[in-house]
Amino acid sequence: MKLLILNGPNLNMLGLREPSIYGAETYAALCEKIRAHAKARGIAVDLYQSNHEGDLVDRIQAAYGDADGIVINPGAYTHTSIALLDAVKSVSIPTVEVHISDVTQREEFRQISYIRLACVKTIMGHGTDGYLEAIDYLIETLA
Ligand code: DQA
């Protein structure tokens, strides 16, 4: 089984970025944690981060025929991007939406998620452990 782990804009700034909301763990440390978890669970993972919407669309399209599932934290594109929603719908790959923070407890503009309409599950407010929960969920449901 292979999963694509996608992160959108500003998630490369983890550790520096608003640590009271997103924690002190860096993006590099998050990647290590995901790789170690995937290894322990016996699956392959591809990790990709971009600050650019079109790059994320390209990566989702490239997953067609390659990845069995997608874990995506689209960052702020969650709340704006119909293109990412359409990309996930286009490839029909089971996708889990992850947010480090609990967006339901934040600003009004974070209450919309376009990508959620194409996702099999949403995990939010569990910090970076949410990525591991998303991986476990996909392993269980795809098995
Ligand atoms: C986020 C929440 C988004 O609203 C925000 O724009 C992010 C990170 C999260 O992981 O909690 O960039 O997706």
Side-chain angles (χ1 to χ4, degrees), residues 1-6 31-48 59 63 66-71 93-94 131-132 134-136 138-139 142:
M1 182 182 299
K2 189 202 260 191
L3 302 181
L4 172 64
I5 317 294
L6 271 183
C31 290
E32 266 323 294
K33 180 162 127 172
I34 290 170
R35 283 199 186 93
H37 188 71
K39 191 172 175 196
R41 297 292 324 252
I43 62 150
V45 281
D46 267 353
L47 290 113
Y48 184 76
R59 199 60 195 80
D66 184 50
D68 303 296
I70 298 173
V71 173
I93 298 172
Y131 292 87
L132 310 188
I135 289 168
D136 289 344
L138 284 170
I139 290 172
L142 295 172

Side-chain angles (χ1 to χ4, degrees), residues 52 56 82-83 92 130 142:
H52 305 280
L56 295 163
I82 298 168
S92 297
L142 295 172

Side-chain angles (χ1 to χ4, degrees), residues 9 11 17 22 73 75-76 78-79 98-101 103 106 110:
L11 288 154
R17 173 190 188 197
Y22 300 113
N73 182 348
T78 305
H79 319 298
V98 171
H99 300 287
I100 296 168
S101 65
V103 286
R106 299 183 64 194
R110 295 185 205 274

